[in-house]
Amino acid sequence: MARLRRKACVALFLFTLFIFGSLMGLRTLKPTDGFSDLAPGLELLPILGGRMSREATASPVQARPQGGNTKAVLSNSGPEGTIFYDVHIFYYTWYGSPHMDGKYIHWDHILVPHWDPKVASSYPRGKHMPPEDIASSFYPELNSYSSRDPDVLESHMEQIGASAAGVLVLSWYPPGLADDNGEPAEDLVPAVLDAAYRHSLKVAFQIQPYRGRNDQTLHENIKYIIDRYGDHGAFYKFTSSTGKSLPLFYIYDSYLTPPESWSDFLTPTGSHSVRGSPYDSMFIALIVEERHKHDILTGGFDGMYTYFASNGFSFGSSHQNWKAIKAFCDGNNLLFIPSVGPGYIDTSIRPWNNHNTRNRVNGRYYETVLQAALNVRPEIVTITSFNEWHEGTQIERAMPKKTMTRVYLDYQPHGPEHYLELTRRWAEQFNKEKQQWLMYLFVSLEEPSARRRLAGTSGAV
C-alpha cells in the first residue's frame, strides 16, 4: 500500500511538472513563434469561431515606409513602453491654425442649429473665435494647433504610445473632400504613417460619409488606400486563422447605405465583390439601432463597432446591450468591437444637446465603461477618442484655461496625462485578462469532449 502511494505521488508530481512546463513554454513564446506579444495564444481564439486576429508586427516587406523622411522612420519606438495592437483609438487630422494653414480650421466650428426651428430659436448661433474661444469644452495643452505641424504630430504619437493604444484609427475622406467645417487633409496620410512608424504604432482607417458615398465609391476608396499605403510598415492588418493578412476598415455611418447595396460589394456573389480579390479586407460597420445588426449581417460586413462615448445615447453605445450584441456576433461569425470613452460633452458645437452629456467624474466614468467592455471579452476595443475635442471625448493632454468669457473644463485634480495613464493601466489589465482567457482555453482543450467539439466546428485544433 505504501509503495502504491509513493508511485501515485511520483506520477502526480510528474504530471504537475509537465503542466507547469507547458504553461511556461506558452508564456515565453515570442511573436515570431506564432503568438501575439499581447496575449500568448490569443490566435487560438479566432480558430474557435473562424474569426480574425490582429497582426502584431510588420513583416520585413511591410517595414518599408513609403514617402516622407525615411531616415527618421527607422528610429525605435522610444520610451513610451509596451503598446497593444488590439487597442484602437480614433484620431482626427482636421485641425488648422493661422501659423500652418493661414486660418483656424475646426477650432472655429459653427454652433450647429437644432433641426426643430422652435428649439433652435432658444439657442445662440454663429461661430467660435479662436484662440481664446474654441469649439470645445476643454482646452488642449498644445493650444489650438494645426494637424499639419510636425511637432504636434510627433507629440500625438508620443501620447498615443504612452496610452498603450497600438493602432490609431485615422478619420479619412477621399482626396479633395472634407466635412462641412473642414478642409481636405488626405495629403497628411503619409506624414501620419511615417510618424506612427517611428513609434511602432499602426494606422487603420475610418472612412467617413461624404456626398455620394455608396458601395461603388467605397470600393474605389479601398483600392486607392491599399494601392497607395498598403506596403507601409505602419499600415495595420489583421491576420486570419489561416495566416492571411487583411487590412481593416471602419465604415462610419454605414447604415446610410442599404444592406442590399453593401452585399454587392461585401458578399462573395456580389456584382462587384471585393472578396477573394487583392483588395479583400475586414469591414467593420457602425451599429446605432438594434435593427442595424441584421442589416450588417445581410450586407456582408465582418463585424460592428459602437463609436459613441455617451452611454445610453444609442442602442449600440448602451453598455447594457453589449452582451446581447456580442452574443449575436459570436453566433454569426462577426467581430464585436465596443467603443469606450472618458466622457461626452458636445455643447460647444450643439448647445441644445446637454441631455447627452456624460460627466467624466475624474475618470470614474471611463473606468466604468472600460470594465463594461472587458466584461464581454472582445478581441479588439476602440477608444473614442484621442482628439475629438468638439465632443469632449479626447484623452489627449488638456490644460486649465480661463478667459474673459469662458472657463474651460480640465482634468484636475489630476494632471494632463490622467486619461493617457488610465488607458495604459486598463490596456495592461486587458492583457492580463486575455492571458487568463487563454489559460481557460488551454484547460478546455485538454478535455476530450472539448477537442471533439472543436474538431467538429472548425476543422482545426
Side-chain angles (χ1 to χ4, degrees), residues 241-256:
S241 57
T242 61
K244 184 178 180 180
S245 293
L246 293 176
L248 185 146
F249 295 96
Y250 293 91
I251 313 301
Y252 189 73
D253 280 358
S254 50
Y255 58 85
L256 295 175

Side-chain angles (χ1 to χ4, degrees), residues 118-134:
K118 292 182 179 179
V119 176
S121 64
S122 302
Y123 292 94
R125 301 286 294 270
K127 296 180 67 172
H128 288 276
M129 300 291 290
E132 297 297 293
D133 171 33
I134 66 170

